[in-house]
Structures are given as C-alpha cells and as structure tokens.
Amino acid sequence: MFVKPVAGRTVRDPVKGTFLPEEGAEVAKSTFWDRRLRDGDVITIDVSAAAAKSTTAVKSTDAVAEKAAASTDAGSAS
C-alpha cells in the first residue's frame, strides 16, 4: 500500500529505519502501518487513481499544445 505522512508528522519506516518521505512511499501492509493509519499519522494514497489522473492531465496538456501549434502554423502560412 502507498502511504504518506500527514502534514507536520514524521513517521519512521520500521523496515528501512528511515523517515517516510513527505511524498509518501510504497510499504508492505502490516499491523504497524494499520496503527499509523488508525492514529492519523499517515494517509493512504490510491496510486492507480493518481497515475490515471496524471496520465489524463498529460494527454490534455498535449492536446492543447498540439492545437496551439496547429493554429500558429496556420496563421504563419498566410
């Protein structure tokens, strides 16, 4: 599961011994992480939904850029 620390909290990964990065990390589901979730120290992030959103945003940006380039090309041909 992918977890991210709540703002203002630091959580040490018991396996790695390092602090969980602010952007979050993939961790193995365990009682430790279940407790961190229950205590409000971390939140889970659905990375598949975030990846889908990111892909959609990139496609949308590409389409806008292509449209702008096409209109610029048409305008310079006149």
Side-chain angles (χ1 to χ4, degrees):
M1 74 180 158
F2 195 89
V3 295
K4 177 179 174 180
V6 174
R9 304 256 175 112
T10 54
V11 179
R12 189 175 297 274
D13 184 325
V15 175
K16 296 178 184 173
T18 59
F19 288 113
L20 190 63
E22 287 183 22
E23 61 275 3
E26 185 72 29
V27 297
K29 185 167 175 54
S30 67
T31 54
F32 174 83
W33 292 112
D34 287 342
R35 279 195 314 269
R36 299 292 66 80
L37 284 165
R38 193 174 44 244
D39 292 347
D41 295 328
V42 297
I43 58 172
T44 57
I45 304 293
D46 184 3
V47 290
S48 61
K53 237 184 226 184
S54 175
T55 303
T56 303
V58 169
K59 286 180 183 176
S60 174
T61 304
D62 289 347
V64 170
E66 286 175 11
K67 211 178 234 186
S71 66
T72 303
D73 290 343
S76 64
S78 316

